[in-house]
Amino acid sequence: MGLYLQHLIESSEGFSSVDTAFYSIKWAHRIAGVTDPSESELVKSILEGAKRILSRPKKKKEPVDSNSMIKLFDKYQDRNSLKEVRLLLMCSLMYTGFLRFNELCNITAKDIVFHTSHVNIFIRKSKTDCYRYGNNVVISRLDSSYCPVKLLQS
């Protein structure tokens, strides 16, 4: 069993395949009523080593800052392609409204109300809304060319 686990460590991408094999072999031996090789200290050490060898550090996402949004506006704002303007609008609404992708995708035209100083967007479903009451997101109108409300109205 130790050699098989070692082979899995060398050929697999993650720890889950080694862990699954370990517990599958353990289960099969218990069902068959034969001596369980997974009780060996050597095999347990190989499993612990696999955790260390195959573990990957978590890659945290970099936050989007205002300079990134300004670069996006500068690059895509004057384009004629509806696809590029839509992408810019989605990014700017997510950034200014602190929206998740699923929240943005569920917005319909009746959820958007324009005012002179801001836009009000009703979010029907959110991951953080445990009672499913919905929530309003207010995005203020800016006096600049980087205004998401102006982009949404155009």
PDB file of all heavy atoms in Angstrom, residues 1 11 29 31-32 35 50 61 73 75 85 92 95-96 104 113-114 119-120 123 127 132-133 142 146 154:
ATOM      1  N   MET A   1       0.823  -1.184   0.000  1.00  0.00           N
ATOM      2  CA  MET A   1       0.000   0.000   0.000  1.00  0.00           C
ATOM      3  C   MET A   1       0.870   1.251   0.000  1.00  0.00           C
ATOM      4  O   MET A   1       0.535   2.236  -0.646  1.00  0.00           O
ATOM      5  CB  MET A   1      -0.931  -0.016   1.214  1.00  0.00           C
ATOM      6  CG  MET A   1      -1.817   1.191   1.273  1.00  0.00           C
ATOM      7  SD  MET A   1      -3.034   0.999   2.559  1.00  0.00           S
ATOM      8  CE  MET A   1      -3.868   2.520   2.467  1.00  0.00           C
ATOM      9  N   SER A  11       2.380  10.964  -9.264  1.00  0.00           N
ATOM     10  CA  SER A  11       1.644  11.123 -10.513  1.00  0.00           C
ATOM     11  C   SER A  11       0.407  12.015 -10.409  1.00  0.00           C
ATOM     12  O   SER A  11      -0.157  12.384 -11.436  1.00  0.00           O
ATOM     13  CB  SER A  11       1.217   9.752 -11.039  1.00  0.00           C
ATOM     14  OG  SER A  11       0.340   9.131 -10.112  1.00  0.00           O
ATOM     15  N   HIS A  29     -10.416  -3.347   2.924  1.00  0.00           N
ATOM     16  CA  HIS A  29      -9.823  -4.326   3.843  1.00  0.00           C
ATOM     17  C   HIS A  29     -10.746  -4.571   5.037  1.00  0.00           C
ATOM     18  O   HIS A  29     -10.838  -5.704   5.534  1.00  0.00           O
ATOM     19  CB  HIS A  29      -8.443  -3.857   4.311  1.00  0.00           C
ATOM     20  CG  HIS A  29      -7.372  -4.118   3.303  1.00  0.00           C
ATOM     21  ND1 HIS A  29      -7.143  -3.279   2.239  1.00  0.00           N
ATOM     22  CD2 HIS A  29      -6.471  -5.133   3.179  1.00  0.00           C
ATOM     23  CE1 HIS A  29      -6.150  -3.746   1.515  1.00  0.00           C
ATOM     24  NE2 HIS A  29      -5.722  -4.879   2.061  1.00  0.00           N
ATOM     25  N   ILE A  31     -14.073  -4.341   5.016  1.00  0.00           N
ATOM     26  CA  ILE A  31     -15.207  -5.130   4.523  1.00  0.00           C
ATOM     27  C   ILE A  31     -14.802  -6.595   4.334  1.00  0.00           C
ATOM     28  O   ILE A  31     -15.560  -7.510   4.647  1.00  0.00           O
ATOM     29  CB  ILE A  31     -15.741  -4.542   3.197  1.00  0.00           C
ATOM     30  CG1 ILE A  31     -16.347  -3.170   3.419  1.00  0.00           C
ATOM     31  CG2 ILE A  31     -16.758  -5.454   2.526  1.00  0.00           C
ATOM     32  CD1 ILE A  31     -17.580  -3.163   4.276  1.00  0.00           C
ATOM     33  N   ALA A  32     -13.586  -6.799   3.827  1.00  0.00           N
ATOM     34  CA  ALA A  32     -13.113  -8.167   3.562  1.00  0.00           C
ATOM     35  C   ALA A  32     -12.727  -8.890   4.840  1.00  0.00           C
ATOM     36  O   ALA A  32     -12.615 -10.122   4.853  1.00  0.00           O
ATOM     37  CB  ALA A  32     -11.932  -8.138   2.601  1.00  0.00           C
ATOM     38  N   THR A  35      -6.360  -8.090   7.425  1.00  0.00           N
ATOM     39  CA  THR A  35      -5.503  -7.129   8.114  1.00  0.00           C
ATOM     40  C   THR A  35      -5.393  -5.851   7.287  1.00  0.00           C
ATOM     41  O   THR A  35      -5.147  -5.896   6.078  1.00  0.00           O
ATOM     42  CB  THR A  35      -4.096  -7.730   8.322  1.00  0.00           C
ATOM     43  OG1 THR A  35      -4.228  -8.980   8.985  1.00  0.00           O
ATOM     44  CG2 THR A  35      -3.233  -6.800   9.149  1.00  0.00           C
ATOM     45  N   ALA A  50       2.286  13.165   2.055  1.00  0.00           N
ATOM     46  CA  ALA A  50       1.534  13.554   0.867  1.00  0.00           C
ATOM     47  C   ALA A  50       0.793  14.862   1.097  1.00  0.00           C
ATOM     48  O   ALA A  50       0.697  15.703   0.206  1.00  0.00           O
ATOM     49  CB  ALA A  50       0.560  12.454   0.484  1.00  0.00           C
ATOM     50  N   LYS A  61      -7.100  36.514  -4.511  1.00  0.00           N
ATOM     51  CA  LYS A  61      -7.311  37.412  -5.628  1.00  0.00           C
ATOM     52  C   LYS A  61      -6.861  38.807  -5.240  1.00  0.00           C
ATOM     53  O   LYS A  61      -7.042  39.248  -4.115  1.00  0.00           O
ATOM     54  CB  LYS A  61      -8.789  37.432  -6.011  1.00  0.00           C
ATOM     55  CG  LYS A  61      -9.279  36.088  -6.493  1.00  0.00           C
ATOM     56  CD  LYS A  61     -10.747  36.139  -6.768  1.00  0.00           C
ATOM     57  CE  LYS A  61     -11.233  34.758  -7.161  1.00  0.00           C
ATOM     58  NZ  LYS A  61     -12.684  34.713  -7.242  1.00  0.00           N
ATOM     59  N   PHE A  73     -11.890  52.256 -18.234  1.00  0.00           N
ATOM     60  CA  PHE A  73     -12.700  53.293 -18.866  1.00  0.00           C
ATOM     61  C   PHE A  73     -11.957  53.936 -20.030  1.00  0.00           C
ATOM     62  O   PHE A  73     -12.535  54.159 -21.087  1.00  0.00           O
ATOM     63  CB  PHE A  73     -13.102  54.363 -17.836  1.00  0.00           C
ATOM     64  CG  PHE A  73     -14.440  54.134 -17.221  1.00  0.00           C
ATOM     65  CD1 PHE A  73     -14.568  53.400 -16.057  1.00  0.00           C
ATOM     66  CD2 PHE A  73     -15.579  54.654 -17.794  1.00  0.00           C
ATOM     67  CE1 PHE A  73     -15.805  53.200 -15.489  1.00  0.00           C
ATOM     68  CE2 PHE A  73     -16.826  54.462 -17.242  1.00  0.00           C
ATOM     69  CZ  PHE A  73     -16.937  53.733 -16.079  1.00  0.00           C
ATOM     70  N   LYS A  75      -9.708  52.682 -21.868  1.00  0.00           N
ATOM     71  CA  LYS A  75      -9.511  51.752 -22.972  1.00  0.00           C
ATOM     72  C   LYS A  75     -10.809  51.460 -23.733  1.00  0.00           C
ATOM     73  O   LYS A  75     -10.804  51.384 -24.955  1.00  0.00           O
ATOM     74  CB  LYS A  75      -8.927  50.439 -22.440  1.00  0.00           C
ATOM     75  CG  LYS A  75      -8.595  49.452 -23.523  1.00  0.00           C
ATOM     76  CD  LYS A  75      -7.857  48.261 -22.964  1.00  0.00           C
ATOM     77  CE  LYS A  75      -7.471  47.310 -24.076  1.00  0.00           C
ATOM     78  NZ  LYS A  75      -6.746  46.147 -23.579  1.00  0.00           N
ATOM     79  N   VAL A  85     -18.633  47.753 -24.371  1.00  0.00           N
ATOM     80  CA  VAL A  85     -19.309  48.697 -23.472  1.00  0.00           C
ATOM     81  C   VAL A  85     -20.043  47.944 -22.373  1.00  0.00           C
ATOM     82  O   VAL A  85     -20.053  48.361 -21.215  1.00  0.00           O
ATOM     83  CB  VAL A  85     -20.268  49.609 -24.271  1.00  0.00           C
ATOM     84  CG1 VAL A  85     -21.092  50.487 -23.350  1.00  0.00           C
ATOM     85  CG2 VAL A  85     -19.485  50.463 -25.248  1.00  0.00           C
ATOM     86  N   SER A  92     -17.804  48.219 -13.943  1.00  0.00           N
ATOM     87  CA  SER A  92     -17.969  49.437 -13.159  1.00  0.00           C
ATOM     88  C   SER A  92     -19.098  49.307 -12.146  1.00  0.00           C
ATOM     89  O   SER A  92     -18.989  49.797 -11.018  1.00  0.00           O
ATOM     90  CB  SER A  92     -18.190  50.643 -14.068  1.00  0.00           C
ATOM     91  OG  SER A  92     -19.389  50.522 -14.768  1.00  0.00           O
ATOM     92  N   TYR A  95     -17.822  47.135  -9.318  1.00  0.00           N
ATOM     93  CA  TYR A  95     -16.849  47.856  -8.506  1.00  0.00           C
ATOM     94  C   TYR A  95     -17.525  48.903  -7.624  1.00  0.00           C
ATOM     95  O   TYR A  95     -17.276  48.963  -6.424  1.00  0.00           O
ATOM     96  CB  TYR A  95     -15.811  48.511  -9.415  1.00  0.00           C
ATOM     97  CG  TYR A  95     -14.779  49.327  -8.669  1.00  0.00           C
ATOM     98  CD1 TYR A  95     -13.764  48.702  -7.959  1.00  0.00           C
ATOM     99  CD2 TYR A  95     -14.829  50.708  -8.680  1.00  0.00           C
ATOM    100  CE1 TYR A  95     -12.821  49.449  -7.271  1.00  0.00           C
ATOM    101  CE2 TYR A  95     -13.887  51.459  -7.994  1.00  0.00           C
ATOM    102  CZ  TYR A  95     -12.890  50.820  -7.294  1.00  0.00           C
ATOM    103  OH  TYR A  95     -11.968  51.557  -6.606  1.00  0.00           O
ATOM    104  N   THR A  96     -18.394  49.720  -8.200  1.00  0.00           N
ATOM    105  CA  THR A  96     -18.992  50.812  -7.428  1.00  0.00           C
ATOM    106  C   THR A  96     -20.104  50.340  -6.502  1.00  0.00           C
ATOM    107  O   THR A  96     -20.334  50.936  -5.457  1.00  0.00           O
ATOM    108  CB  THR A  96     -19.550  51.908  -8.356  1.00  0.00           C
ATOM    109  OG1 THR A  96     -20.470  51.319  -9.262  1.00  0.00           O
ATOM    110  CG2 THR A  96     -18.439  52.597  -9.104  1.00  0.00           C
ATOM    111  N   LEU A 104     -25.171  40.686 -10.042  1.00  0.00           N
ATOM    112  CA  LEU A 104     -25.219  41.504 -11.248  1.00  0.00           C
ATOM    113  C   LEU A 104     -26.022  40.813 -12.355  1.00  0.00           C
ATOM    114  O   LEU A 104     -26.828  41.447 -13.039  1.00  0.00           O
ATOM    115  CB  LEU A 104     -23.802  41.803 -11.740  1.00  0.00           C
ATOM    116  CG  LEU A 104     -23.710  42.654 -12.996  1.00  0.00           C
ATOM    117  CD1 LEU A 104     -24.068  44.092 -12.664  1.00  0.00           C
ATOM    118  CD2 LEU A 104     -22.329  42.574 -13.579  1.00  0.00           C
ATOM    119  N   VAL A 113     -33.793  52.040 -11.096  1.00  0.00           N
ATOM    120  CA  VAL A 113     -34.554  53.292 -11.047  1.00  0.00           C
ATOM    121  C   VAL A 113     -33.556  54.444 -11.078  1.00  0.00           C
ATOM    122  O   VAL A 113     -32.685  54.542 -10.198  1.00  0.00           O
ATOM    123  CB  VAL A 113     -35.427  53.374  -9.777  1.00  0.00           C
ATOM    124  CG1 VAL A 113     -36.189  54.695  -9.740  1.00  0.00           C
ATOM    125  CG2 VAL A 113     -36.372  52.188  -9.691  1.00  0.00           C
ATOM    126  N   PHE A 114     -33.685  55.309 -12.084  1.00  0.00           N
ATOM    127  CA  PHE A 114     -32.783  56.451 -12.227  1.00  0.00           C
ATOM    128  C   PHE A 114     -33.336  57.663 -11.473  1.00  0.00           C
ATOM    129  O   PHE A 114     -34.540  57.934 -11.512  1.00  0.00           O
ATOM    130  CB  PHE A 114     -32.598  56.813 -13.697  1.00  0.00           C
ATOM    131  CG  PHE A 114     -31.818  55.793 -14.456  1.00  0.00           C
ATOM    132  CD1 PHE A 114     -32.453  54.840 -15.238  1.00  0.00           C
ATOM    133  CD2 PHE A 114     -30.435  55.773 -14.386  1.00  0.00           C
ATOM    134  CE1 PHE A 114     -31.732  53.901 -15.944  1.00  0.00           C
ATOM    135  CE2 PHE A 114     -29.702  54.838 -15.089  1.00  0.00           C
ATOM    136  CZ  PHE A 114     -30.353  53.897 -15.866  1.00  0.00           C
ATOM    137  N   VAL A 119     -28.492  56.346  -9.058  1.00  0.00           N
ATOM    138  CA  VAL A 119     -29.304  55.255  -9.576  1.00  0.00           C
ATOM    139  C   VAL A 119     -29.526  54.277  -8.434  1.00  0.00           C
ATOM    140  O   VAL A 119     -28.643  54.055  -7.604  1.00  0.00           O
ATOM    141  CB  VAL A 119     -28.654  54.563 -10.798  1.00  0.00           C
ATOM    142  CG1 VAL A 119     -27.390  53.825 -10.418  1.00  0.00           C
ATOM    143  CG2 VAL A 119     -29.610  53.604 -11.468  1.00  0.00           C
ATOM    144  N   ASN A 120     -30.733  53.733  -8.370  1.00  0.00           N
ATOM    145  CA  ASN A 120     -31.084  52.778  -7.335  1.00  0.00           C
ATOM    146  C   ASN A 120     -31.277  51.420  -8.002  1.00  0.00           C
ATOM    147  O   ASN A 120     -32.105  51.274  -8.894  1.00  0.00           O
ATOM    148  CB  ASN A 120     -32.374  53.241  -6.648  1.00  0.00           C
ATOM    149  CG  ASN A 120     -32.633  52.501  -5.367  1.00  0.00           C
ATOM    150  OD1 ASN A 120     -31.851  51.656  -4.978  1.00  0.00           O
ATOM    151  ND2 ASN A 120     -33.744  52.817  -4.726  1.00  0.00           N
ATOM    152  N   ILE A 123     -31.469  44.544  -5.629  1.00  0.00           N
ATOM    153  CA  ILE A 123     -30.861  43.214  -5.716  1.00  0.00           C
ATOM    154  C   ILE A 123     -31.852  42.229  -5.100  1.00  0.00           C
ATOM    155  O   ILE A 123     -32.088  42.244  -3.898  1.00  0.00           O
ATOM    156  CB  ILE A 123     -29.506  43.160  -4.970  1.00  0.00           C
ATOM    157  CG1 ILE A 123     -28.578  44.264  -5.437  1.00  0.00           C
ATOM    158  CG2 ILE A 123     -28.877  41.787  -5.106  1.00  0.00           C
ATOM    159  CD1 ILE A 123     -28.169  44.173  -6.870  1.00  0.00           C
ATOM    160  N   LYS A 127     -26.147  36.380  -1.795  1.00  0.00           N
ATOM    161  CA  LYS A 127     -25.551  35.350  -0.947  1.00  0.00           C
ATOM    162  C   LYS A 127     -25.636  35.744   0.532  1.00  0.00           C
ATOM    163  O   LYS A 127     -25.794  34.894   1.401  1.00  0.00           O
ATOM    164  CB  LYS A 127     -24.094  35.168  -1.375  1.00  0.00           C
ATOM    165  CG  LYS A 127     -23.290  34.233  -0.547  1.00  0.00           C
ATOM    166  CD  LYS A 127     -21.875  34.200  -1.080  1.00  0.00           C
ATOM    167  CE  LYS A 127     -20.925  33.588  -0.091  1.00  0.00           C
ATOM    168  NZ  LYS A 127     -19.556  33.592  -0.580  1.00  0.00           N
ATOM    169  N   ARG A 132     -33.870  36.636   2.298  1.00  0.00           N
ATOM    170  CA  ARG A 132     -34.298  36.856   0.916  1.00  0.00           C
ATOM    171  C   ARG A 132     -35.298  38.005   0.781  1.00  0.00           C
ATOM    172  O   ARG A 132     -36.260  37.929   0.059  1.00  0.00           O
ATOM    173  CB  ARG A 132     -34.900  35.572   0.320  1.00  0.00           C
ATOM    174  CG  ARG A 132     -33.959  34.392   0.284  1.00  0.00           C
ATOM    175  CD  ARG A 132     -32.813  34.654  -0.677  1.00  0.00           C
ATOM    176  NE  ARG A 132     -31.968  33.486  -0.823  1.00  0.00           N
ATOM    177  CZ  ARG A 132     -30.694  33.446  -0.456  1.00  0.00           C
ATOM    178  NH1 ARG A 132     -30.130  34.496   0.065  1.00  0.00           N
ATOM    179  NH2 ARG A 132     -29.979  32.366  -0.635  1.00  0.00           N
ATOM    180  N   TYR A 133     -35.043  39.079   1.521  1.00  0.00           N
ATOM    181  CA  TYR A 133     -35.866  40.278   1.405  1.00  0.00           C
ATOM    182  C   TYR A 133     -35.450  41.129   0.212  1.00  0.00           C
ATOM    183  O   TYR A 133     -36.209  41.943  -0.263  1.00  0.00           O
ATOM    184  CB  TYR A 133     -35.766  41.138   2.667  1.00  0.00           C
ATOM    185  CG  TYR A 133     -36.371  40.517   3.899  1.00  0.00           C
ATOM    186  CD1 TYR A 133     -35.773  40.677   5.134  1.00  0.00           C
ATOM    187  CD2 TYR A 133     -37.541  39.776   3.834  1.00  0.00           C
ATOM    188  CE1 TYR A 133     -36.325  40.121   6.270  1.00  0.00           C
ATOM    189  CE2 TYR A 133     -38.093  39.211   4.962  1.00  0.00           C
ATOM    190  CZ  TYR A 133     -37.479  39.392   6.181  1.00  0.00           C
ATOM    191  OH  TYR A 133     -38.032  38.838   7.295  1.00  0.00           O
ATOM    192  N   LEU A 142     -21.563  60.757 -10.884  1.00  0.00           N
ATOM    193  CA  LEU A 142     -20.309  61.516 -10.791  1.00  0.00           C
ATOM    194  C   LEU A 142     -20.253  62.570 -11.887  1.00  0.00           C
ATOM    195  O   LEU A 142     -20.851  62.398 -12.947  1.00  0.00           O
ATOM    196  CB  LEU A 142     -19.109  60.587 -10.931  1.00  0.00           C
ATOM    197  CG  LEU A 142     -19.005  59.427  -9.946  1.00  0.00           C
ATOM    198  CD1 LEU A 142     -17.864  58.516 -10.340  1.00  0.00           C
ATOM    199  CD2 LEU A 142     -18.818  59.938  -8.534  1.00  0.00           C
ATOM    200  N   TYR A 146     -15.916  59.009 -15.920  1.00  0.00           N
ATOM    201  CA  TYR A 146     -15.817  57.660 -15.364  1.00  0.00           C
ATOM    202  C   TYR A 146     -17.072  57.276 -14.587  1.00  0.00           C
ATOM    203  O   TYR A 146     -17.036  56.392 -13.743  1.00  0.00           O
ATOM    204  CB  TYR A 146     -14.592  57.549 -14.456  1.00  0.00           C
ATOM    205  CG  TYR A 146     -13.311  57.954 -15.118  1.00  0.00           C
ATOM    206  CD1 TYR A 146     -12.598  59.059 -14.689  1.00  0.00           C
ATOM    207  CD2 TYR A 146     -12.812  57.243 -16.201  1.00  0.00           C
ATOM    208  CE1 TYR A 146     -11.426  59.442 -15.305  1.00  0.00           C
ATOM    209  CE2 TYR A 146     -11.641  57.612 -16.826  1.00  0.00           C
ATOM    210  CZ  TYR A 146     -10.959  58.706 -16.372  1.00  0.00           C
ATOM    211  OH  TYR A 146      -9.796  59.080 -16.985  1.00  0.00           O
ATOM    212  N   SER A 154     -26.649  55.456 -21.050  1.00  0.00           N
ATOM    213  CA  SER A 154     -26.398  55.592 -22.493  1.00  0.00           C
ATOM    214  C   SER A 154     -26.649  54.320 -23.262  1.00  0.00           C
ATOM    215  O   SER A 154     -26.897  53.303 -22.788  1.00  0.00           O
ATOM    216  CB  SER A 154     -24.959  56.037 -22.740  1.00  0.00           C
ATOM    217  OG  SER A 154     -24.048  55.082 -22.239  1.00  0.00           O
TER     218      SER A 154
END
